[in-house]
Amino acid sequence: MRKKEFKKVMTAILAGAMVCSLAACGEPKANGDDKATAAASSEKVEKEEQGTPEEKDLYGFSEPVTVKIGWAESPDFQFREGETPEDNEWVDLYAKHNIFQELIYKVDASQGGAKLANAITSGNYPDIILTQGSEYINYAKTGVIADISDVFEEYASDELREYVESDGGIGMTSAKVDGKLYGIPLLGNSYDAVMMMFIRQDWLDKVGMQVPKTMEELHEVAKAFTEKDPDGNGKNDTYGLALNGKGVFASNGGIQAFFEGYGAMPGYGSSFTFIEKDGEVIWGGAAADEMKAGLTLLHEMYLDGSIAKDFGVMDNDRVTEEFSSGRCGIMFAPMWGAMGPSASVIKSDINAHIIAAQIPDGMGEGSAKPWFTNATSGYYAVSSKCEHPEVLIKLLNLSVDVMCHTESDEEFATYIADSEWKFSLTRTLEPLKNLDNYYKESKALETGDISELNAEQKSDYSRMKAFLETMKTDNPDVENEEVQSGIGLYSVFGDPQGGYAVIDSIIKEDNKNVSAYNAIPTDTMVEKFPTLDKLAMETIVKIITGDAPVDSYDQFLENWYKLGGEGVTAEAQAWYDANQN
């Protein structure tokens, strides 16, 4: 097994539905594995000749072990010709390390969770379990899964250690239950979810304004986009800022991003947001002064038409449609927010140009800090009944080495491309792959040198180049499928004012509001969130539309605490206090 310098690269990991299980180690069953066994023996000899037995210890076994697998995947999963869950490139790779697979069941992905739950209830359950949220905590506290603190320290490779630290250790911290490590986080990329502002540069040019750096400037620009006919069609059919009024947290058009400009954070997905303020943990919407300042400005924007009168019924799809059709000129979204809209607006206006920028400052210099939190999508754990718990760490070592340190186009094609990575028993795709893509692809566009690009990056480069080249012609073919794809990719990875250029600036400036609570939501949080989130959204919308005064937010906060907010905040504070270095 090779050793390489860890590459900081990412992707929004698709949380797969394959449920893996390991039986106690033993001789592989006679089921046509002669070829694989021979390969394993050959590999063993090769390793011994190279004098690297310690790598065999980290990535496999000196004697064969049997791995029982439960396959739970979508029925439309496209296998490569001749491949099955029992016969694929990953099966062969594991066999080279004396790990052999025995498939014990196949179910549809929709049945995977129930299948695993039934197995655990029966007491005859997989040794390797991919689990999430409160189930993970329950499995740890009831003895279903094992404390792996010691085996991780003993067997984790350097690459695996760097993998779990690629998010600053947030995922590993969240994996601890009562101070013990019970699982290894399956990491996503927190930067992929960081919110930013997308704005029409061509509209800014038309109205003679600059990218807004403060919220007051944002208001001025949004008002100009509403009143000064930035699309030049002579009609009163545009407005400034698209907002999603259907949920406190949303990707496209998320209202929470506006408040991030003030240093607040009132909601996130299906769980609470907690921030540190003046040494204490508070709910992100409990920063009363910051919230009321933002609400005051949003009410002003609502009155002058800078935001749509029906924003309260807009969801993600509607916001995307508004931006893509050229009806509005500003939207908050993650780094990929302009991919679809950019490819769409250029069809009607070849001069259209959507750029990205950090969220404007609301309270004064430095108040705007995008929310940054745990992007763990699950935890790989090992059964407390497993005789060899180190096998989990060895499987992870192997998958991290192959997936996060791909050495060649051939290796990428063999183990990752065409969803081949889904055959891995531990699907540790590169957490920071998109960041690496940005650095390498943007450089290649500048220099024309593609020698350092991998297969995926070369594909991205080719499509972005097709877009840039066609735009140099007299009649750009922006309807071309490759060009359309290139436009979207350019908005993320190629544009000096694109989505990942903003992420790069956030990283370099260390400008982010790191969550003060990065553990799995407690049972109380899960129970109280729906009621308190609904109350928050209703209050915010009413204040923006003028159906309630701004000062009513204080009364809302009192009610929020009484209805359960005080308890969940106390739990977040206790976790924070226990996990400070």
Side-chain angles (χ1 to χ4, degrees):
M1 183 58 53
R2 60 192 177 280
K3 296 285 186 180
K4 294 179 294 189
E5 181 180 355
F6 184 71
K7 300 181 300 182
K8 296 204 172 216
V9 273
M10 98 174 182
T11 197
I13 290 180
L14 305 174
M18 183 171 71
V19 179
C20 308
S21 66
L22 271 167
C25 297
E27 292 294 330
K29 295 187 177 180
N31 57 1
D33 284 330
D34 292 344
K35 177 181 177 182
T37 303
S41 299
S42 176
E43 177 75 5
K44 180 180 178 182
V45 170
E46 180 182 348
K47 293 290 185 182
E48 291 174 347
E49 290 176 349
Q50 293 174 348
T52 56
E54 73 282 357
E55 292 195 350
K56 188 65 175 179
D57 181 58
L58 291 182
Y59 297 91
F61 295 87
S62 58
E63 299 296 331
V65 300
T66 300
V67 181
K68 290 186 177 179
I69 301 302
W71 175 265
E73 189 56 76
S74 173
D76 61 358
F77 179 76
Q78 297 295 312
F79 293 99
R80 289 175 177 173
E81 185 176 356
E83 284 193 338
T84 67
E86 302 96 324
D87 183 10
N88 56 73
E89 297 289 357
W90 281 89
V91 167
D92 294 342
L93 179 63
Y94 290 133
K96 290 178 181 179
H97 294 274
N98 263 338
I99 300 173
F100 297 88
Q101 300 183 46
E102 177 190 353
L103 188 68
I104 58 176
Y105 66 78
K106 295 183 196 178
V107 295
D108 182 89
S110 62
Q111 302 171 14
K115 187 74 174 180
L116 176 60
N118 290 336
I120 290 174
T121 300
S122 72
N124 181 25
Y125 56 91
D127 282 335
I128 298 297
I129 300 171
L130 175 60
T131 184
Q132 299 174 331
S134 58
E135 286 184 345
Y136 171 72
I137 294 178
N138 180 57
Y139 292 159
K141 292 189 172 182
T142 57
V144 172
I145 56 179
D147 174 4
I148 59 169
S149 304
D150 292 339
V151 293
F152 177 80
E153 289 303 320
E154 183 175 356
Y155 291 99
S157 67
D158 291 342
E159 288 82 5
L160 177 58
R161 293 175 193 275
E162 292 183 75
Y163 168 85
V164 298
E165 288 297 323
S166 64
D167 65 345
I170 292 175
M172 284 291 277
T173 299
S174 74
K176 292 182 179 180
V177 180
D178 296 330
K180 298 177 180 179
L181 184 66
Y182 284 87
I184 303 300
L186 179 58
L187 298 180
N189 188 320
S190 296
Y191 287 112
D192 271 7
V194 165
M195 298 293 281
M196 61 189 67
M197 177 179 66
F198 289 93
I199 188 167
R200 290 283 296 267
Q201 178 63 59
D202 53 312
W203 284 17
L204 285 170
D205 296 339
K206 188 69 178 292
V207 300
M209 303 181 80
Q210 302 296 316
V211 176
K213 296 185 181 300
T214 68
M215 284 299 184
E216 289 296 337
E217 290 175 356
L218 173 68
H219 183 194
E220 294 172 5
V221 170
K223 196 168 185 291
F225 284 179
T226 305
E227 299 173 351
K228 295 186 177 181
D229 190 26
D231 60 358
N233 67 356
K235 299 178 181 179
N236 183 21
D237 59 357
T238 60
Y239 65 94
L241 175 65
L243 288 180
N244 184 323
K246 296 293 287 184
V248 173
F249 175 85
S251 52
N252 287 3
I255 288 179
Q256 86 284 352
F258 188 91
F259 294 107
E260 287 178 42
Y262 292 83
M265 181 59 180
Y268 184 88
S270 59
S271 186
F272 294 103
T273 54
F274 295 99
I275 62 176
E276 182 275 327
K277 184 180 181 184
D278 300 327
E280 294 186 0
V281 174
I282 64 170
W283 171 55
D289 292 342
E290 292 85 345
M291 288 295 299
K292 288 193 289 185
L295 287 166
T296 298
L297 185 59
L298 283 174
H299 177 56
E300 293 175 9
M301 295 176 69
Y302 178 82
L303 291 178
D304 65 27
S306 297
I307 59 178
K309 298 297 184 184
D310 63 343
F311 82 94
V313 297
M314 288 187 181
D315 58 11
N316 279 339
D317 291 342
R318 173 73 185 284
V319 169
T320 302
E321 179 186 350
E322 294 284 294
F323 201 52
S324 298
S325 64
R327 286 194 286 272
C328 70
I330 310 170
M331 175 184 74
F332 296 114
M335 56 89 190
W336 44 262
M339 291 189 75
S342 290
S344 179
V345 295
I346 203 169
K347 291 180 180 179
S348 56
D349 183 356
I350 61 171
N351 295 312
H353 184 196
I354 298 173
I355 65 169
Q358 291 195 43
I359 297 170
D361 199 302
M363 296 294 286
E365 186 64 31
S367 72
K369 292 183 179 296
W371 177 251
F372 188 85
T373 190
N374 183 13
T376 297
S377 59
Y379 302 87
Y380 281 111
V382 61
S383 166
S384 58
K385 298 181 179 182
C386 183
E387 296 180 18
H388 300 275
E390 72 275 13
V391 74
L392 169 64
I393 308 304
K394 293 183 178 185
L395 287 168
L396 285 160
N397 288 342
L398 185 57
S399 65
V400 166
D401 186 85
V402 171
M403 293 188 183
C404 299
H405 299 274
T406 310
E407 287 189 319
S408 66
D409 291 352
E410 180 181 1
E411 188 176 44
F412 177 86
T414 300
Y415 298 113
I416 301 174
D418 304 324
S419 295
E420 192 73 6
W421 59 273
K422 289 189 176 183
F423 287 119
S424 171
L425 304 188
T426 51
R427 301 172 172 183
T428 55
L429 289 170
E430 300 176 64
L432 300 176
K433 179 171 70 71
N434 283 342
L435 182 60
D436 186 63
N437 287 352
Y438 162 69
Y439 288 139
K440 292 181 178 177
E441 292 171 18
S442 60
K443 181 179 179 181
L445 288 174
E446 290 179 8
T447 65
D449 181 3
I450 63 172
S451 61
E452 294 187 6
L453 304 186
N454 63 30
E456 178 184 359
Q457 292 162 351
K458 287 176 182 176
S459 176
D460 289 352
Y461 171 86
S462 175
R463 286 179 282 177
M464 288 190 286
K465 196 69 174 176
F467 158 59
L468 294 173
E469 291 301 319
T470 197
M471 294 304 292
K472 295 177 182 178
T473 65
D474 293 334
N475 296 296
D477 183 11
V478 295
E479 300 278 355
N480 178 276
E481 183 176 346
E482 184 179 27
V483 170
Q484 277 282 297
S485 177
I487 295 170
L489 288 166
Y490 187 75
S491 75
V492 179
F493 301 115
D495 195 331
Q497 294 176 290
Y500 246 89
V502 172
I503 296 297
D504 185 42
S505 68
I506 289 171
I507 292 172
K508 289 177 178 176
E509 297 168 12
D510 193 24
N511 183 43
K512 53 186 182 291
N513 193 354
V514 178
S515 173
Y517 182 81
N518 289 299
I520 297 167
T522 66
D523 290 342
T524 305
M525 292 177 186
V526 172
E527 176 189 353
K528 298 296 183 181
F529 179 80
T531 298
L532 296 181
D533 180 66
K534 180 180 179 182
L535 179 62
M537 192 67 226
E538 290 175 347
T539 301
I540 288 171
V541 171
K542 284 181 179 179
I543 292 175
I544 293 174
T545 59
D547 292 333
V550 172
D551 286 343
S552 67
Y553 196 79
D554 293 323
Q555 183 60 54
F556 152 73
L557 281 179
E558 288 186 22
N559 295 336
W560 188 89
Y561 281 112
K562 290 178 182 178
L563 292 173
E566 184 175 2
V568 299
T569 302
E571 290 180 339
Q573 181 73 60
W575 181 91
Y576 180 84
D577 292 341
N579 287 278
Q580 292 306 293
N581 294 328

